[in-house]
Structure formats: structure tokens, C-alpha cells
Amino acid sequence: GAGVSQSPSNKVTEKGKDVELRCDPISGHTALYWYRQSLGQGLEFLIYFQGNSAPDKSGLPSDRFSAERTGGSVSTLTIQRTQQEDSAVYLCASSLWTENTEAFFGQGTRLTVV
Amino acid sequence: AQSVTQPDIHITVSEGASLELRCNYSYGATPYLFWYVQSPGQGLQLLLKYFSGDTLVQGIKGFEAEFKRSQSSFNLRKPSVHWSDAAEYFCAVARQAGTALIFGKGTTLSVSS
């Protein structure tokens, strides 16, 4: 596609359930990022994939959060046993990550835990 | 740990007045620096970026930013603000190519008439 695609755009889930959020990056982009955006908290870095390198998981807030990237393309962010504090907009971005490149963002998935 | 600080949470500027949004980072080397804008209900859009070379960089929508190594700053400026500039602005830093992009908490810009 022309841009970064995220699905679903909105997700309402019950506390304690698991959720999966999907990101389709721009074709050919080697780098993929996940962020969480909560009111007043800016963009909180979660995880970063770059090519075949081991992902940078330093931003994952707890072991309930995990992500994978299959075939160097599509990525899935999984949140297990969701809590109300997980409610936020989850943003995905991709880039070539060579000199003079930028990260392109998707529209995000708004997750509401009730 | 690498961090990005945007000291101003909310700024209000009169239409036509000049604007400066501050950004400081805590990393010794010259990182990769970015400013993004997020308008209400819109996605994040890149305004400008600095990797090396001339420390004053021009971006879209009439914005510019200046990298000051001695101050570890990368402040965003615009000479004359338009009402359509009201949005949230994020400074972002990557230690080097191939590393994670870290964002500040953002500055909300309001424009008064």
C-alpha cells in the first residue's frame, strides 16, 4: 500500500482479555516501530524492529506486551490480560532507516479496555 | 538513557506572531533530530529533520529549526504563525541510524486571533 496501515482502527475489549493489533508497513521499509500515545504522555516507545537484527524491546512496559514481525513485513503487537491502563492509541511507523530517511506513521489503533 | 525534553507543555501565540518551541536531548554525540506535527484527528507528519551539515534546517509549512550542539537543543521556529498551525508538536531523537526513535512528550500550540 501507499502508507502504513493499522488494523483495527478501534478496539474495545474487556479487562483481562488478550488483544492483537496489526501493522502493515510501507513495502520495502526495513524498520518498524510501535508507540503508545496516551493523553499528556506523548509517544511512548514500545519496540523497534530493524531488518534481521534483534528487536529493541526496551520500551515494553510489562511482560504482558509482546510483538513480532513476520517475514520482515507485517507486525503484530499483542497485549495479554489487558488492564484499563492499557487504554491508549497504539501507533505503528516504518522507515528505511538509512541516511536522510523519516518514519512514516499509521493512523493508529484506539484501544479501550472496559 | 537517551531522553528528549520538551519543557513547554502548552503554548499560546497570537496569529502573526513568531513561535519558538524548545527541545533538548540528553545524548553526547550528534544524534538524528526530527520535529513532527500532529493536527487534531490527524496522523503524525514530519516537519523537518537534521542529520548533519548546516545547523539551520528548513522544513515544510514555513518552519525551521536550529541545532545547537553546545546546548543539546533543536528548537523549532516559525516567523509568523497561522491559525492552521494549532496542533501538537513532537521533537524526536535517534542516537544513530538504525536505532529507535525516541519522542518528547509534545508541546500543544494554540493560536489566538
Side-chain angles (χ1 to χ4, degrees):
Chain A
V4 177
S5 177
Q6 292 187 245
S7 60
S9 55
N10 282 283
K11 175 72 175 179
V12 180
T13 189
E14 293 181 351
K15 178 181 173 181
K17 300 283 191 182
D18 297 353
V19 294
E20 286 188 350
L21 312 181
R22 178 187 169 102
C23 174
D24 280 280
I26 294 172
S27 178
H29 278 191
T30 55
L32 187 147
Y33 311 78
W34 281 100
Y35 295 90
R36 178 168 67 177
Q37 186 173 25
S38 307
L39 192 62
Q41 295 301 310
L43 274 77
E44 177 188 3
F45 166 72
L46 296 177
I47 189 169
Y48 168 61
F49 297 90
Q50 167 61 321
N52 295 323
S53 302
D56 178 353
K57 303 180 182 180
S58 61
L60 293 177
S62 77
D63 59 8
R64 295 188 296 106
F65 288 74
S66 63
E68 62 177 20
R69 189 177 185 192
T70 54
S73 181
V74 171
S75 177
T76 302
L77 177 69
T78 301
I79 308 173
Q80 296 179 310
R81 305 180 302 281
T82 52
Q83 303 294 314
Q84 288 187 327
E85 60 263 30
D86 299 334
S87 296
V89 175
Y90 290 82
L91 291 166
C92 175
S94 72
S95 75
L96 283 169
W97 236 148
T98 57
E99 294 285 332
N100 298 317
T101 62
E102 66 179 272
F104 293 84
F105 282 80
Q107 292 296 312
T109 294
R110 181 174 297 278
L111 175 66
T112 303
V113 182
V114 298
Chain B
Q2 180 181 342
S3 71
V4 183
T5 302
Q6 293 181 246
D8 305 304
I9 297 173
H10 190 186
I11 286 181
T12 300
V13 175
S14 298
E15 190 169 16
S18 64
L19 169 71
E20 183 169 25
L21 302 182
R22 297 182 289 165
C23 174
N24 293 94
Y25 60 90
S26 64
Y27 188 71
T30 299
Y32 293 75
L33 299 160
F34 305 79
W35 275 99
Y36 280 81
V37 61
Q38 187 176 38
S39 299
Q42 302 295 312
L44 282 146
Q45 181 181 25
L46 180 72
L47 286 175
L48 46 77
K49 58 192 175 187
Y50 174 78
F51 287 4
S52 64
D54 192 346
T55 57
L56 184 64
V57 293
Q58 303 296 319
I60 63 171
K61 304 184 180 186
F63 285 91
E64 66 178 26
E66 186 172 12
F67 169 60
K68 292 186 177 180
R69 184 193 308 272
S70 62
Q71 298 176 19
S72 296
S73 69
F74 188 56
N75 293 349
L76 182 72
R77 301 194 294 245
K78 187 169 184 178
S80 178
V81 167
H82 188 261
W83 65 266
S84 61
D85 293 324
E88 190 156 19
Y89 291 80
F90 293 95
C91 179
V93 175
R95 179 167 47 86
Q96 61 188 47
T99 61
L101 189 60
I102 305 300
F103 283 77
K105 291 188 181 297
T107 297
T108 300
L109 173 66
S110 297
V111 180
S112 61
S113 57

